Amino acid sequence: INGIDLDIDEIDIKKSDEDRDDGEFQSRSILQQFKDLITFPIVALESVIMMLTWFITALSYYGFNFGWGSLLPNIYLGYIMAGLSEFLAAAFSIFLAKYVGRRRALILLLGFSVLMYLISILDVSLGNGWTLESIASLMGLFSFTAIFTVIYLYTAEIAPTSHRGLVNSVCSASAQTGSFLGPFVINNLYEITHKAVPLGLLSFVGLMCIAGMFYLVDTKGKNIPATPADVRARRALHSFKF
């Protein structure tokens, strides 16, 4: 290490008192971890909020990506612009999460997404087959790509170390469900109902996620909780202010 040869026999790994105290949580089975969600309902509530956010993000992201044929006048141009939008969104989200915090970043991005949903309801032609809905859809994809980037980081930081695998797994399962329903919402519901119905429903779910974000704690510059008890203690310093 750093140009110095180390003898493996001389390395002594010691655990801190904090690590030893948390051992009972680190080695718990999946069933025991689910039981902990009852003992510590705050962890369960934060996990549900994250699951809902993962769900709406995946639903919208894959709904847009599989719906360009009905949203844009040229499907090939649509995918080119969508790819450029995703690249810019991924880069933008890194700086946004770093400088304004994870929670604020998600609130801003979700709010922008809801606004794009509502704008998409309007029937305004821009010429050459392009509509206000087309532009709003591309901007919505930009927003949800950025949300995906931030939420991966935020979920890992907000969950306690002892239950991080469980929380990430249920959030991933929620996202998989959303990704399955997304193309159905954009492609199928558009044909059998007025577009205001699916877009209005997605806007409502997005507003629910924003409300949930105000309940969560911003993890920027803070220690990651090791156990559910740390999550409960973290709530003492929480503020609902933006």
Side-chain angles (χ1 to χ4, degrees):
I1 299 177
N2 293 332
I4 301 176
D5 295 331
L6 296 179
D7 187 351
I8 191 65
D9 296 329
E10 297 180 357
I11 298 177
D12 183 18
I13 300 177
K14 297 181 179 180
K15 291 186 177 181
S16 65
D17 293 337
E18 182 180 355
D19 291 334
R20 286 192 290 269
D21 292 339
D22 296 342
E24 61 173 307
F25 285 102
Q26 303 292 352
S27 60
R28 298 174 80 80
S29 66
I30 295 297
L31 180 59
Q32 290 172 323
Q33 291 184 41
F34 273 109
K35 291 180 178 179
D36 289 336
L37 299 182
I38 301 176
T39 307
F40 298 91
I42 181 60
V43 179
L45 181 56
E46 290 185 352
S47 299
V48 169
I49 294 173
M50 298 306 295
M51 286 175 61
L52 181 62
T53 307
W54 278 75
F55 174 81
I56 186 64
T57 303
L59 187 150
S60 302
Y61 178 86
Y62 287 98
F64 283 133
N65 269 316
F66 284 91
W68 293 129
S70 58
L71 294 173
L72 301 179
N74 187 314
I75 188 173
Y76 302 104
L77 178 61
Y79 275 106
I80 292 175
M81 296 183 67
L84 178 61
S85 175
E86 291 193 39
F87 175 79
L88 295 175
F92 170 74
S93 62
I94 296 174
F95 295 97
L96 187 65
K98 178 179 179 180
Y99 291 107
V100 307
R102 288 64 157 140
R103 188 185 70 151
R104 291 188 183 94
L106 288 175
I107 291 174
L108 291 172
L109 291 170
L110 285 167
F112 183 77
S113 302
V114 170
L115 178 61
M116 292 301 102
Y117 276 139
L118 297 177
I119 291 177
S120 296
I121 297 177
L122 303 176
D123 290 318
V124 179
S125 176
L126 302 178
N128 296 325
W130 287 87
T131 64
L132 188 60
E133 179 186 11
S134 304
I135 303 300
S137 297
L138 287 171
M139 296 302 294
L141 178 67
F142 172 91
S143 180
F144 282 110
T145 301
I147 292 174
F148 247 137
T149 306
V150 176
I151 203 173
Y152 267 104
L153 172 64
Y154 193 38
T155 303
E157 292 181 344
I158 202 169
T161 301
S162 56
H163 294 65
R164 186 165 299 120
L166 173 64
V167 174
N168 276 279
S169 295
V170 295
C171 286
S172 178
S174 179
Q176 291 292 334
T177 305
S179 65
F180 174 79
L181 295 176
F184 169 77
V185 171
I186 298 299
N187 291 326
N188 297 75
L189 286 186
Y190 262 47
E191 298 179 358
I192 61 177
T193 65
H194 190 276
K195 64 179 181 179
V197 175
L199 292 175
L201 179 61
L202 293 174
S203 298
F204 175 73
V205 177
L207 289 174
M208 290 179 59
C209 292
I210 293 175
M213 286 297 144
F214 279 98
Y215 184 80
L216 298 179
V217 176
D218 198 345
T219 57
K220 177 187 176 183
K222 298 179 180 178
N223 293 330
I224 296 177
T227 67
D230 295 335
V231 175
R232 185 169 56 187
R234 182 179 60 186
R235 298 295 307 177
L237 302 176
H238 174 60
S239 173
F240 288 95
K241 295 181 181 180
F242 175 72

